Amino acid sequence: MSATADVIYNYDGSFEGLLCCVFESYDKKEIPLAIIGPDYRQSMLLAGKDILTDPMKAKRVQSSIPKKISYEVYEFVCQAFLTCFPEKELYILLFLRQAYKCGPQIMNRLTDEVVYPLYKAVQHLQKESHLLKGFIRFSVANQVLISEIGPKNFVLPLLKQHFMERYPEERFLIYDKTHQMGLLYQPYQSRIVPIDALEMPEFDETEIQFRQLWKLFYDTIEIKGRHNEKCRMTQMPKRYWDYMTEFQSAPMLRRKIPKGPEKLPVKYK
């Protein structure tokens, strides 16, 4: 029987690395106090154990989840890993240990102290990705659709299929400022890559005109007598406004593209 050990797992922050932590937990018959990624600065005096990412071990755990539990549980774990839940790694490990015992019924245990926090985190992820499918605003620069977002969760994997189907013949970039990652797409090819920084380009006259028309349309259709700021913030949370054209100031709408080579100002890690 496994017992909680006075040890902290250090892993590389990848999903495969987390699966290796699950493998290590079973192999050593222990449950760590915490699982931390590379960006965390450990300040505790407890022992730390580096868990190396082994593709073979990760594959064994990955294939066992849909086989021994269910594919629904596997999808749930994948989405839980994308959330901003602070202790998601440890909770995913504890969730899987329970799931291996009780099977697919684990998804119905919403009163469980491990299952419920993960369930709420995944709900938050799904809601945020759903909102961003409507809130993302693209601008055209050098014949590329560009958008910047600042989500709490890592939503790009959930947005990818939607925008690939919506703009199959376009070239676009969705930059996640929070996680410094970008979804790059050109016809029938896509990838999610790390991006150190993205300086949003300035726009040509045509783009400026369309941005101003969109803002004018948004301002015009409002019934002034029924303006309800609280209701608007409920339906369209304020933290998204900085990235939406209709809420930007006039100087932001009028930025122009400087003359030069047609390249996106992107720095890759």
Side-chain angles (χ1 to χ4, degrees):
M1 180 173 177
S2 300
T4 302
D6 292 335
V7 64
I8 295 174
Y9 285 178
N10 303 315
Y11 83 118
D12 64 1
S14 68
F15 184 64
E16 291 75 16
L18 178 58
L19 295 180
C20 289
C21 292
V22 176
F23 186 97
E24 181 74 10
S25 175
Y26 275 96
D27 187 52
K28 296 298 188 290
K29 296 181 173 58
E30 64 186 15
I31 299 175
L33 289 175
I35 302 175
I36 62 176
D39 296 331
Y40 183 86
R41 294 294 178 263
Q42 185 174 339
S43 60
M44 294 178 285
L45 300 178
L46 298 175
K49 180 189 289 187
D50 292 331
I51 307 299
L52 300 179
T53 300
D54 184 329
M56 295 298 293
K57 292 179 180 179
K59 185 66 176 178
R60 285 179 60 181
V61 177
Q62 183 181 27
S63 60
S64 71
I65 298 173
K67 182 178 180 180
K68 296 184 178 181
I69 311 172
S70 71
Y71 190 75
E72 180 187 7
V73 167
Y74 174 71
E75 285 191 321
F76 179 79
V77 168
C78 289
Q79 292 196 11
F81 184 72
L82 301 176
T83 68
C84 59
F85 183 48
E87 300 177 89
K88 62 185 178 184
E89 293 91 348
L90 180 60
Y91 273 75
I92 289 173
L93 184 148
L94 296 174
F95 172 82
L96 285 174
R97 293 188 69 94
Q98 288 192 36
Y100 281 123
K101 293 179 181 178
C102 69
Q105 295 302 317
I106 188 69
M107 298 300 297
N108 299 325
R109 297 187 174 185
L110 298 184
T111 58
D112 186 273
E113 60 182 6
V114 171
V115 179
Y116 183 70
L118 280 183
Y119 173 78
K120 291 297 291 183
V122 169
Q123 272 196 324
H124 184 262
L125 166 78
Q126 293 174 343
K127 180 180 179 181
E128 185 168 50
S129 66
H130 175 71
L131 288 174
L132 283 170
K133 289 174 184 177
F135 291 164
I136 282 181
R137 301 290 183 260
F138 286 102
S139 296
V140 179
N142 299 325
Q143 300 181 338
V144 177
L145 300 176
I146 304 176
S147 178
E148 184 179 46
I149 58 176
K152 293 183 178 180
N153 302 283
F154 184 45
V155 296
L156 291 182
L158 276 65
L159 297 176
K160 182 173 71 170
Q161 190 64 32
H162 172 80
F163 286 102
M164 285 173 57
E165 292 177 355
R166 187 172 183 182
Y167 303 115
E169 302 296 332
E170 300 288 348
R171 296 166 61 225
F172 65 77
L173 163 64
I174 302 176
Y175 174 57
D176 180 346
K177 187 176 181 179
T178 305
H179 304 90
Q180 293 188 312
M181 299 290 288
L183 169 58
L184 300 174
Y185 176 81
Q186 61 183 8
Y188 313 110
Q189 296 181 44
S190 68
R191 56 182 178 141
I192 296 175
V193 298
I195 298 177
D196 277 333
L198 173 66
E199 181 183 349
M200 290 296 286
E202 299 186 354
F203 310 110
D204 61 19
E205 294 294 344
T206 301
E207 174 61 22
I208 291 171
Q209 184 179 18
F210 275 110
R211 290 167 67 85
Q212 292 173 337
L213 285 172
W214 174 247
K215 183 170 176 58
L216 177 62
F217 169 77
Y218 180 83
D219 293 337
T220 302
I221 63 171
E222 179 187 22
I223 301 174
K224 303 300 181 182
R226 295 185 179 181
H227 180 82
N228 188 326
E229 192 72 5
K230 185 176 180 180
C231 179
R232 180 166 68 171
M233 286 190 289
T234 300
Q235 302 299 323
M236 187 182 291
K238 198 168 184 178
R239 65 189 179 89
Y240 298 113
W241 292 8
D242 288 344
Y243 306 98
M244 300 176 70
T245 309
E246 55 266 42
F247 291 104
Q248 292 178 2
S249 62
M252 290 292 291
L253 293 174
R254 290 195 297 266
R255 293 188 307 170
K256 296 183 180 181
I257 297 179
K259 294 182 179 180
E262 295 187 358
K263 294 183 179 179
L264 293 177
V266 178
K267 299 178 182 178
Y268 293 97
K269 288 182 178 178

